[in-house]
């Protein structure tokens, strides 16, 4: 036993050193797993080892109050998706590892691989877009408008306070099919506008760019083809760190020439609307690049449609928007919430992305044996960030959130009336009324009324001996304490009328 304990201590020390040296996370994880296995084999440690009750890193539980806020947000989003004619699908939470490999650029290292169980090599899904593309290719679907709301997994080191987790929901809406340019793309932006307006999160801005404009810009700035994607992921950081830092990453870490970096700097600091598109179409360098010219032409068309939808006030054509994912081929967009302007700040400050998306015409073709392409454009709503903001707002306002939808509590003022209460509640349930009863034979009336106060139940249906003789039920409004006798056969109608939302 002493030898085994010494081995465990040595392994623990090895893990400590790896952490101290900031070794590769995968290596640390492997050694930690080995340590836990050795401890388990050692056994007999139950008395000493204190089991810690916690959720895994980057995850959380949701209380009934938090779930009530979440459901409100989900309902608003689903209502919008359905208003635009979307169907709903679902896919497995894990995919074959090879399905996800090579689709996410530098973010691939964040994919959760499952342990090899002697069968297929599997990974937890990283987003809902790649599984959607796999679904289209597998079922030979060339035309669908769908939404999908489900959990995805990323092996990130997240800042949970800012609504970032390792397990989180995504709400995706995508239009797949061969259509005329920019009409589906414009609808995706309209959906983002509708959802963010409906949720009343405050001021927001939807930044728009195009992968073709970015690639054309990189080409005319002298970026080698082989560096397009890696430079793109540097530009993608511009919303988080200043240009000087991005420039030094491009030159110092990624080996780009300082001249090329400076040229990029001239472009990526531009943002505007139709005027900027017109200006760039006249730009002596960009207008000579086929890709950029195509992208600018489509961007102009997009802005014309967005003008018809009446939403250009919240849209900014922004050349710094890059979105790091490899699969985008055309329009890309991201919605950010803005902190209100104040005396010290000239421009509103972004407090983070709450939606993003774009066009990915090549992704389905990657899965199709014959390489058949299905053009797609879609949007993902950042539900966790939105929820985080609404949760903080509710905390600050001390707004009372109801966690149930109960319309009425069936109560009694005297003893020995349990049977009558159960008979009445059964009638109400059968009529589709949301009703509760306290699980006591002879509860005190005061306790029953207090329960309604605590949980926000608006009505109490009181049965008493006199009411039973008269064939009525006493209906009490909790908020005003008003009481009315209602004939038993009219009770369901009266409850519906009093609890229907205006």
């Amino acid at each position: 036993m002493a030898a085994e304990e010494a081995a465990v201590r040595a392994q623990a020390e090895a893990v400590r050193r790896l952490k101290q040296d900031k070794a590769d996370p995968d290596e640390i994880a492997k050694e930690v797993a080995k340590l836990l296995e050795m401890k388990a084999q050692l056994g007999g440690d139950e008395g000493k080892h204190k089991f810690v009750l916690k959720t895994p890193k980057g995850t959380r539980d949701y209380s009934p109050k938090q779930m009530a806020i979440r459901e409100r947000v989900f309902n608003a989003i689903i209502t919008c998706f359905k208003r635009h004619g979307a169907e709903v699908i679902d896919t497995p939470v894990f995919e074959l590892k090879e399905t996800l490999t090579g689709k996410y650029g530098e973010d691939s290292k964040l994919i959760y691989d499952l342990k090899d169980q002697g069968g297929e090599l599997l990974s937890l899904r990283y987003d809902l877009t790649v599984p959607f593309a796999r679904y289209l290719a597998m079922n030979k679907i060339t035309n669908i408008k769908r939404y999908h709301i489900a959990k995805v997994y990323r092996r990130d080191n997240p800042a949970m306070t800012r609504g970032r987790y390792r397990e989180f929901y995504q709400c995706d809406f995508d239009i797949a099919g061969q259509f005329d340019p920019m009409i589906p793309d414009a609808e995706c932006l309209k959906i983002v506008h509708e959802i963010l307006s409906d949720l009343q999160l405050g001021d927001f801005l939807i930044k728009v760019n195009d992968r073709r404009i970015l690639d054309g810009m990189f080409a005319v700035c002298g970026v080698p083809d082989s560096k397009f994607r890696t430079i793109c992921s540097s530009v993608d950081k511009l919303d988080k760190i200043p240009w000087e830092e991005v420039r030094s990453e491009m030159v110092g870490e990624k080996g780009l020439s300082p001249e090329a970096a400076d040229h990029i700097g001239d472009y990526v600091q531009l943002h505007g609307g139709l005027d900027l598109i017109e200006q760039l179409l006249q730009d002596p360098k960009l207008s000579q690049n086929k890709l950029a010219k195509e992208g600018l032409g489509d961007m102009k068309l997009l802005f014309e449609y967005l003008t018809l939808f009446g939403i250009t006030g919240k849209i900014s054509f922004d050349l710094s928007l890059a979105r790091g994912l490899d699969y985008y081929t055309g329009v890309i967009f991201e919605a950010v919430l803005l902190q209100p302007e104040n005396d010290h700040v000239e421009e509103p400050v972004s407090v983070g992305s709450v939606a993003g998306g774009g066009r990915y015409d090549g992704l389905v073709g990657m899965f199709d044996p014959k390489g058949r392409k299905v053009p797609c454009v879609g949007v993902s709503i950042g539900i966790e960030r939105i929820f985080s903001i609404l949760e903080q707002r509710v905390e600050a306002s001390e707004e009372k959130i109801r966690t149930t939808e109960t319309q009425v509590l069936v109560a009694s003022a005297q003893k020995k009336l349990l049977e009558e209460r159960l008979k009445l509640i059964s009638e109400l349930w059968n009529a589709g009324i949301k009703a509760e009863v306290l699980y006591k034979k002879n509860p005190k009336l005061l306790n029953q009324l207090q329960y309604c106060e605590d949980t926000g139940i608006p009505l109490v249906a009181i049965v008493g001996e006199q009411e039973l003789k008269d064939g009525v039920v006493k209906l009490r409004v909790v908020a005003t304490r008003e009481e009315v006798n209602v004939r038993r056969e009219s009770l369901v109608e009266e409850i519906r009328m009093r609890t229907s939302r205006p």
Side-chain angles (χ1 to χ4, degrees):
M1 186 62 102
E4 282 95 333
E5 284 177 351
V8 167
R9 281 197 296 275
Q11 182 64 15
E13 178 57 28
V15 168
R16 192 187 64 76
R17 275 201 305 274
L18 284 171
K19 286 180 177 174
Q20 205 174 350
D21 299 343
K22 293 192 170 65
D24 177 51
D26 288 343
E27 196 185 338
I28 295 175
K30 205 189 294 177
E31 294 304 319
V32 167
K34 200 191 287 182
L35 175 62
L36 291 173
E37 209 171 303
M38 288 165 76
K39 280 185 172 176
Q41 283 169 358
L42 195 59
D45 205 16
E46 289 81 5
K48 285 182 255 175
H49 178 61
K50 192 160 183 252
F51 181 62
V52 182
L53 276 176
K54 64 187 273 298
T55 59
K57 184 179 175 185
T59 65
R60 62 180 286 193
D61 293 320
Y62 294 93
S63 67
K65 184 177 166 186
Q66 290 163 334
M67 284 307 294
I69 301 168
R70 275 178 100 75
E71 284 195 325
R72 203 192 282 175
V73 177
F74 279 136
N75 290 341
I77 293 170
I78 291 169
T79 301
C80 178
F81 289 164
K82 287 185 172 177
R83 185 161 60 236
H84 287 262
E87 301 172 287
V88 62
I89 69 163
D90 197 11
T91 64
V93 77
F94 41 78
E95 293 275 351
L96 293 178
K97 184 177 176 176
E98 63 198 67
T99 301
L100 307 185
T101 305
K103 312 297 186 302
Y104 301 108
E106 293 189 0
D107 285 349
S108 287
K109 59 181 179 291
L110 302 180
I111 294 173
Y112 267 108
D113 294 329
L114 298 182
K115 192 174 177 182
D116 179 7
Q117 307 282 1
E120 298 168 321
L121 289 178
L122 305 172
S123 299
L124 293 180
R125 62 184 169 206
Y126 177 89
D127 67 3
L128 301 178
T129 310
V130 170
F132 174 54
R134 190 262 311 145
Y135 170 83
L136 294 182
M138 196 172 112
N139 295 289
K140 297 183 172 53
I141 295 167
T142 55
N143 201 315
I144 188 173
K145 177 161 40 174
R146 81 88 176 84
Y147 75 89
H148 187 185
I149 295 179
K151 285 181 172 179
V152 299
Y153 299 84
R154 298 190 181 177
R155 212 178 59 189
D156 216 339
N157 278 323
M160 286 169 62
T161 47
R162 294 179 60 226
R164 293 182 78 91
Y165 301 91
R166 287 181 161 190
E167 175 194 66
F168 56 95
Y169 271 99
Q170 278 193 339
C171 305
D172 281 20
F173 172 98
D174 292 81
I175 300 170
Q178 194 74 54
F179 303 109
D180 288 336
M182 294 297 118
I183 305 172
D185 310 59
E187 184 169 5
C188 285
L189 290 164
K190 177 79 171 88
I191 283 169
V192 175
H193 190 281
E194 282 178 23
I195 288 170
L196 295 183
S197 304
D198 188 22
L199 291 173
Q200 298 175 343
L201 296 164
D203 201 10
F204 62 89
L205 183 69
I206 305 170
K207 300 176 183 182
V208 188
N209 199 359
D210 193 299
R211 258 298 163 66
R212 292 165 298 175
I213 299 172
L214 266 175
D215 285 354
M217 175 186 80
F218 290 153
V220 303
C221 290
V223 178
D225 282 9
S226 60
K227 284 193 164 47
F228 273 21
R229 285 294 162 259
T230 180
I231 294 301
C232 195
S233 70
S234 294
V235 171
D236 196 36
K237 296 173 184 168
L238 270 171
D239 60 336
K240 298 178 192 77
I241 58 174
W243 164 247
E244 289 69 33
E245 288 181 39
V246 170
R247 184 187 181 281
S248 67
E249 180 185 294
M250 287 177 177
V251 177
E253 290 175 35
K254 299 192 171 174
L256 190 64
S257 73
E259 299 76 40
D262 290 334
H263 282 315
I264 291 171
D266 295 338
Y267 284 115
V268 294
Q269 295 179 62
L270 299 173
H271 52 87
L274 264 172
D275 297 352
L276 178 59
I277 298 168
E278 294 291 2
Q279 180 194 320
L280 291 172
L281 278 166
Q282 305 305 315
D283 183 275
K285 286 188 203 156
L286 272 187
S287 58
Q288 297 310 303
N289 181 281
K290 185 173 169 286
L291 267 182
K293 201 171 177 186
E294 251 177 51
L296 286 163
D298 276 353
M299 188 62 68
K300 186 177 175 185
L301 192 57
L302 178 69
F303 265 79
E304 284 165 15
Y305 296 148
L306 298 176
T307 306
L308 296 174
F309 285 155
I311 62 172
T312 46
K314 297 278 188 203
I315 311 273
S316 166
F317 171 39
D318 189 324
L319 281 157
S320 72
L321 179 67
R323 291 192 65 75
L325 297 175
D326 272 6
Y327 50 63
Y328 290 123
T329 55
V331 164
I332 48 178
F333 49 86
E334 187 161 281
V336 293
L337 291 187
L338 303 173
Q339 281 172 343
E341 293 179 56
N342 59 36
D343 302 339
H344 316 295
V345 185
E346 278 72 63
E347 283 197 13
V349 188
S350 157
V351 288
S353 164
V354 285
R359 176 162 284 284
Y360 50 102
D361 289 350
L363 192 55
V364 179
M366 284 186 181
F367 295 114
D368 191 282
K370 292 183 181 161
R372 282 170 297 210
K373 290 189 174 181
V374 178
C376 298
V377 63
V379 56
S380 188
I381 306 295
I383 184 84
E384 301 296 348
R385 179 69 59 85
I386 291 170
F387 173 59
S388 214
I389 291 158
L390 290 178
E391 203 181 0
Q392 284 164 10
R393 196 173 289 174
V394 166
E395 290 295 322
S397 70
E398 292 178 8
E399 176 193 345
K400 199 166 167 41
I401 299 280
R402 275 200 73 188
T403 55
T404 66
E405 295 179 9
T406 310
Q407 295 162 279
V408 62
L409 180 80
V410 175
S412 57
Q414 298 121 337
K415 292 185 174 182
K416 301 201 172 113
L417 286 171
L418 176 64
E419 281 183 19
E420 294 302 334
R421 280 191 293 141
L422 294 181
K423 269 192 224 163
L424 178 57
I425 199 166
S426 187
E427 283 172 31
L428 295 178
W429 284 335
N430 293 343
I433 296 290
K434 295 166 182 163
E436 285 185 67
V437 66
L438 290 197
Y439 306 127
K440 276 186 172 280
K441 278 187 175 177
N442 300 312
K444 292 178 179 159
L445 184 60
L446 200 62
N447 292 352
Q448 295 170 93
L449 297 177
Q450 188 58 49
Y451 180 74
C452 294
E453 293 273 359
D454 294 344
T455 56
I457 299 174
L459 300 172
V460 191
I462 302 171
V463 287
E465 281 161 13
Q466 191 57 49
E467 285 84 0
L468 287 167
K469 277 186 201 148
D470 298 346
V472 297
V473 173
K474 187 176 282 178
L475 197 62
R476 178 184 172 108
V477 181
V478 175
T480 61
R481 300 185 178 175
E482 164 207 354
E483 291 185 342
V484 285
N485 283 338
V486 181
R487 295 214 56 78
R488 184 115 173 194
E489 59 272 19
S490 315
L491 181 64
V492 167
E493 205 40 58
E494 185 72 21
I495 291 169
R496 278 195 192 127
M497 189 190 76
R498 284 175 179 269
T499 55
S500 66
R501 290 204 173 113

